[in-house]
Amino acid sequence: MSSPRSHARIAVMNRQPRTFDAPRQPDGHRSPVSTYYGRHVFDLIKLREKLPREIFQSLVSTLRNSAPLSKEVAETVASAAREWAVSHGATHFTHWFQPMTGLTAEKHDAFIDLNVSMTGEARVLEKLSGSQLWQSEPDASSFPSGGMRSTFEARGYTAWDPTVPMFLVESANGRTLCIPSVYISYHGHSLDHKTPLLRSVEALNKNAVAFLKLLGDVDVKSVAATLGVEQEYFLVDRAHHALRTDLMLAERTLLGAASPRHQQFEDHYFGTIPPRVIAFMEELEFELYRLGIPMRTRHNEVAPMQFEMAPIFEDLNLGVDHNVLAMDVARKVALRHDFVCLLHEKPFAGINGSGKHCNWSMSTDRGENLLEPGKTPHQNLRFLAFLAVCLKAVHDHAVALRWSVSGPNNDLRLGANEAPPAILSAFVGDQLTSIIDRTIAGDAAKDPEHFVLEMGVAKLPTLAKDNTDRNRTSPFAFTGNKFEFRAVGSSANCAVPMAVLSGAAAKSLAEMTERLKKKLEAKPGHRDQMVAELLREVFTESSAVRFEGNGYSDEWKAEAKKRGLPNLVDTPAAIQALTDKQNHQFLVDVGVFSQLEFDSRVNVSLERYIKQVTLEAETVAEMVLTQVIPAAEKQLALTGSAWRTVTESGGKGTIYSSRVKALTAGLEALLDGAEKLQKTLHEVHSGHDEMKVCARLSAEVRPLMQSVRDAADLIENLVDDEIWPLPKYREMLFVK
Ligand code: ADP
Ligand code: MG
């Protein structure tokens, strides 16, 4: 039979790993990565070569002090960038930015300019001016603004973020110079993800430096946040993807009976990477290396056809841009290998979903990781102080952190016994727990230096490595020299959770600085004791948020309730809780958002949730009516005719009567379910309060979608495999 699905099956069967045109050494072996790493990035090394010395110096000092660029520097950098890009085959440039759609955006302009002489002769020349580099003005009216548009006006502009180098993006027939940019409204309000992130980094820097000064680290000039992202994703074959309306439109399967084989053999995790997949990874990594993205790790994940990539950590802002870019490149390269890269948090029901574990820390301009215990007692006391900062941040701002990882997709994953629960808690491991407990008991304040030596703080990083198994269930785990924020969803732009986390840390730092200042004034000359005293207080106040046990268990839910920790089970609950002023005021205080921007973010979260769940509900209804029900009807006719043949020849055909009954019951359930779903959806949308619409979509529409799915999945197992139009789980998940 030649159904589209059987065509797809044959296409998939015949696929081979695809090679690409990789740079090679004379003997045919692949060239070392170091020979092409960063080739497509206009980085400081290239700038140093191309710019006059003073201009380069001035650029570097601007970057260091985040001061505005002078016109002259912008002009010179622009012309050097244009020359470099054009010599590498670029015809266009674009401001590359991250609006609140969750994707990146670009509007290309050619480098050309017309030079018309007095006599009217027109010549074309390549040009990029300083002001073109500096900013551009895309029409803002079609990007989400969360209502700010109605308050102000549609104009918005993108402005170069010089802290991230420009880079070249390659397409089939050319290259484009991308200028990493922020995106703000005409009145200076952020319309993007990058601006709040940059502000949070600045707030963290300012407050951390002030706190360090009080601790005695007077030489530290700046503190930067660092980020290393473990990015999980699924691959499905393009031929299967094209036949699945749900994957095409909503990036997840809304229907599909479970495959008898799924992840129960635990044979995929860290298993041999399938040949087609590793061919994809090799080309992906090649592209990423040329873009200066230091991707280091690749491996199979727990679910079949699920994989992970992780880079060497970088400065937070750069790390976020690199993650966004890596997701984009992964999608494009996958297509060349006849795969579709699914970054959705839960593409398949019943098997693990995907996260984006954000490894986050803070480091000084001298390269010291502030979450890494050091050699001296002072460094170790300082380490404990920054640990306290983080615990306080998670404790005080759990609601905002929870909101920062919420969304219609991550709702399907968080709290589902495969991903961290919806309750925000922090894991620190046995040894740190006992250090914290003894600090709370007042032991550290007696003789801080002796305390950190005796407790072996310096040995923590090696010990913490053994904790990884238990911290799998924790949304926020200390892993020796950094925290791993595990609740972030795979498709998210992690600028949001990272800005909230860095902003929360900045707020804790500001408060702890004030408190320490008072203590030092009251008891000058006793710095270490006063620090230990502050730690005793902060560890005590934040102790509810520390949890070392199994985050998946029901006992934890009960325990968390007793401790007064919020358990915000879905996005509507998280948004609702965040609108409470006490839960978001800190973001305004430290300058991550203005109040207006904050309100607009809330609107955007509501809007996106509503749009996504509605899209899913409409898609599943359509699939049921146009694909599942017709297949069931065909099967009914087949079974009916077999039954007639049997009875006509004198047989009883009881078995057929029960098959027909099962099919009929399934069909009725399905028709009934689809009708209910559509009716409820319509009714929910007749409401005007977006918060209520959102809550009803979660409480009523999603459960109805689930019951429609249950009915459809039952039918899938009653229908002739040849008739079933949709690629099944077992086909999609075991592509070799
Ligand atoms: P583990 O296996 O203990 O989680 P890895 O070394 O595999 O640790 O790191 C996982 C991710 O964390 C990597 O992307 C890595 O670069 C990143 N990472 C390591 N140290 C830091 C740090 N100080 N700040 C931010 N990310 C870090
Ligand atoms: Mg992992």
Side-chain angles (χ1 to χ4, degrees):
M1 214 174 136
S2 66
S3 66
R5 183 166 151 243
S6 59
H7 278 300
R9 193 180 301 154
I10 293 163
V12 174
M13 221 161 58
N14 289 331
R15 298 222 202 275
Q16 295 299 323
R18 181 187 180 277
T19 55
F20 71 100
D21 203 6
R24 299 204 175 259
Q25 309 179 48
D27 64 5
H29 290 308
R30 289 271 311 263
S31 304
V33 171
S34 55
T35 59
Y36 54 82
Y37 187 86
R39 191 179 281 172
H40 283 185
V41 190
F42 197 51
D43 56 15
L44 282 178
I45 302 174
K46 296 190 185 81
L47 276 160
R48 189 205 293 277
E49 281 167 14
K50 302 216 180 302
L51 296 181
R53 230 177 99 169
E54 323 78 73
I55 300 277
F56 180 74
Q57 288 309 340
S58 153
L59 175 68
V60 169
S61 82
T62 302
L63 295 182
R64 206 167 281 151
N65 310 318
S66 30
L69 273 188
S70 77
K71 200 167 173 319
E72 189 197 2
V73 174
E75 230 27 274
T76 320
V77 172
S79 112
R82 189 254 310 138
E83 198 183 296
W84 172 78
V86 170
S87 74
H88 281 76
T91 52
H92 288 66
F93 68 93
T94 179
H95 281 238
W96 179 82
F97 60 104
Q98 298 161 39
M100 291 184 273
T101 53
L103 301 169
T104 55
E106 46 194 73
K107 174 189 158 222
H108 298 197
D109 278 305
F111 282 120
I112 56 166
D113 201 14
L114 277 184
N115 199 350
V116 186
S117 72
M118 301 279 280
T119 52
E121 293 160 62
R123 278 175 217 279
V124 160
L125 48 87
E126 264 84 23
K127 195 175 160 200
L128 176 67
S129 69
S131 57
Q132 280 173 313
L133 166 67
W134 194 234
Q135 73 181 54
S136 114
E137 204 175 313
D139 182 6
S141 57
S142 298
F143 289 108
S145 76
M148 282 198 298
R149 231 171 9 243
S150 53
T151 323
F152 295 101
E153 53 189 288
R155 280 167 77 188
Y157 62 92
T158 51
W160 181 34
D161 165 19
T163 60
V164 177
M166 291 174 248
F167 55 90
L168 290 174
V169 161
E170 197 163 64
S171 40
N173 301 310
R175 287 175 178 170
T176 302
L177 177 71
C178 293
I179 304 166
S181 300
V182 295
Y183 178 45
I184 39 196
S185 79
Y186 187 68
H187 291 273
H189 298 286
S190 155
L191 292 166
D192 69 345
H193 290 314
K194 192 192 258 276
T195 314
L197 182 74
L198 288 171
R199 293 176 186 156
S200 77
V201 165
E202 196 36 52
L204 183 72
N205 174 32
K206 193 179 98 208
N207 288 294
V209 170
F211 186 58
L212 282 166
K213 283 225 158 64
L214 284 191
L215 293 182
D217 289 272
V218 287
D219 297 337
V220 174
K221 290 200 184 63
S222 62
V223 168
T226 51
L227 174 69
V229 173
E230 298 164 55
Q231 175 72 51
E232 296 177 340
Y233 59 91
F234 279 84
L235 293 173
V236 293
D237 195 279
R238 235 176 141 166
H240 290 147
H241 186 266
L243 295 178
R244 299 267 339 190
T245 316
D246 44 8
L247 284 180
M248 297 270 284
L249 300 186
E251 254 210 71
R252 74 172 174 113
T253 54
L254 299 163
L255 300 174
S259 158
R261 188 183 187 106
H262 44 94
Q263 62 188 44
Q264 73 269 49
F265 292 101
E266 300 174 322
D267 53 355
H268 188 65
Y269 190 61
F270 284 10
T272 312
I273 303 174
R276 271 182 70 198
V277 175
I278 195 149
F280 151 74
M281 288 173 169
E282 284 159 346
E283 185 171 353
L284 170 62
E285 285 157 5
F286 168 69
E287 297 259 337
L288 297 180
Y289 291 151
R290 285 199 307 188
L291 288 165
I293 302 178
M295 204 51 77
R296 180 147 74 179
T297 310
R298 62 186 187 207
H299 63 80
N300 289 3
E301 255 301 329
V302 168
M305 290 311 279
Q306 189 187 28
F307 306 93
E308 180 178 306
M309 56 178 165
I312 299 172
F313 71 93
E314 300 175 283
D315 173 81
L316 178 56
N317 178 36
L318 184 62
V320 169
D321 276 9
H322 277 172
N323 174 252
V324 173
L325 191 53
M327 293 198 292
D328 207 35
V329 177
R331 281 199 194 91
K332 288 183 190 155
V333 175
L335 292 177
R336 291 183 218 146
H337 291 257
D338 292 308
F339 282 126
V340 174
C341 177
L342 300 177
L343 292 154
H344 192 287
E345 282 74 358
K346 196 74 183 172
F348 298 97
I351 57 172
N352 277 17
S354 298
K356 186 194 312 268
H357 300 169
C358 291
N359 295 271
W360 172 93
S361 189
M362 294 161 278
S363 102
T364 69
D365 56 321
R366 295 183 297 189
E368 291 171 301
N369 179 353
L370 292 165
L371 290 178
E372 172 132 16
K375 292 193 184 69
T376 65
H378 169 75
Q379 286 166 344
N380 290 331
L381 194 62
R382 182 180 72 190
F383 157 75
L384 290 180
F386 275 85
L387 180 74
V389 166
C390 297
L391 293 177
K392 182 174 165 54
V394 180
H395 176 268
D396 295 358
H397 308 298
V399 170
L401 285 165
R402 172 67 186 87
W403 166 78
S404 77
V405 298
S406 69
N409 304 351
N410 217 15
D411 276 4
L412 302 164
R413 169 181 167 261
L414 289 185
N417 275 4
E418 43 147 307
I423 306 161
L424 248 290
S425 67
F427 173 99
V428 295
D430 292 342
Q431 201 200 356
L432 263 183
T433 301
S434 77
I435 292 170
I436 291 171
D437 288 345
R438 287 196 48 190
T439 307
I440 290 174
D443 291 1
K446 286 177 207 143
D447 182 357
E449 191 164 314
H450 181 247
F451 176 79
V452 290
L453 285 173
E454 183 206 355
M455 296 302 294
V457 175
K459 297 202 188 73
L460 271 167
T462 31
L463 286 169
K465 292 265 179 235
D466 306 330
N467 284 326
T468 32
D469 252 9
R470 277 171 305 143
N471 71 36
R472 270 184 178 280
T473 70
S474 175
F476 198 74
F478 182 70
T479 54
N481 56 6
K482 60 191 182 285
F483 271 100
E484 185 173 340
F485 193 8
R486 305 174 59 94
V488 184
S490 51
S491 71
N493 182 321
C494 59
V496 185
M498 290 299 101
V500 173
L501 176 59
S502 306
K507 180 70 177 175
S508 298
L509 280 161
E511 287 177 11
M512 284 169 67
T513 302
E514 277 313 301
R515 284 162 71 171
L516 186 56
K517 223 181 244 167
K518 288 214 180 86
K519 286 184 192 297
L520 293 174
E521 276 161 19
K523 247 185 157 184
H526 291 78
R527 190 172 60 215
D528 285 2
Q529 266 88 3
M530 291 304 100
V531 172
E533 181 58 30
L534 176 69
L535 293 188
R536 188 179 64 75
E537 293 168 13
V538 173
F539 283 140
T540 309
E541 293 155 11
S542 61
S543 50
V545 86
R546 275 188 295 120
F547 178 64
E548 300 288 304
N550 178 4
Y552 297 167
S553 66
D554 285 333
E555 291 87 69
W556 170 229
K557 283 186 198 135
E559 166 70 17
K561 195 168 177 190
K562 246 192 258 157
R563 294 189 189 183
L565 298 179
N567 181 5
L568 302 165
V569 294
D570 58 12
T571 300
I575 300 175
Q576 179 75 65
L578 187 73
T579 53
D580 195 337
K581 201 166 179 66
Q582 68 179 30
N583 290 328
H584 69 253
Q585 184 60 39
F586 79 100
L587 290 165
V588 179
D589 291 346
V590 299
V592 172
F593 295 128
S594 67
Q595 187 64 47
L596 181 72
E597 286 168 350
F598 170 79
D599 295 341
S600 81
R601 303 278 149 159
V602 167
N603 289 340
V604 171
S605 323
L606 285 169
E607 201 179 281
R608 297 195 64 77
Y609 184 87
I610 292 170
K611 285 184 179 161
Q612 181 67 21
V613 178
T614 303
L615 164 71
E616 290 177 357
E618 285 172 351
T619 305
V620 81
E622 187 201 298
M623 288 174 78
V624 160
L625 294 172
T626 63
Q627 295 181 300
V628 178
I629 289 175
E633 285 163 350
K634 276 186 208 145
Q635 183 59 49
L636 198 57
L638 278 178
T639 311
S641 101
W643 188 9
R644 260 193 312 281
T645 312
V646 171
T647 44
E648 275 164 19
S649 62
K652 269 184 87 187
T654 332
I655 182 85
Y656 291 101
S657 98
S658 58
R659 265 178 70 79
V660 166
K661 253 188 216 142
L663 271 166
T664 317
L667 264 171
E668 275 164 8
L670 209 50
L671 279 163
D672 187 46
E675 198 185 302
K676 253 196 210 125
L677 178 61
Q678 285 172 317
K679 217 176 115 208
T680 310
L681 194 61
H682 186 74
E683 204 185 291
V684 166
H685 275 281
S686 63
H688 294 298
D689 179 343
E690 287 201 318
M691 196 61 239
K692 280 202 189 116
V693 173
C694 208
R696 288 191 69 187
L697 286 171
S698 177
E700 297 170 47
V701 172
R702 276 211 156 155
L704 280 172
M705 285 168 62
Q706 184 58 46
S707 55
V708 165
R709 177 188 187 135
D710 292 341
D713 293 356
L714 270 179
I715 288 186
E716 180 177 331
N717 286 327
L718 293 173
V719 167
D720 178 359
D721 193 52
E722 293 290 325
I723 294 173
W724 193 252
L726 299 164
K728 296 186 172 183
Y729 268 34
R730 59 173 154 83
E731 298 161 38
M732 292 187 282
L733 290 171
F734 297 95
V735 170
K736 289 287 176 213

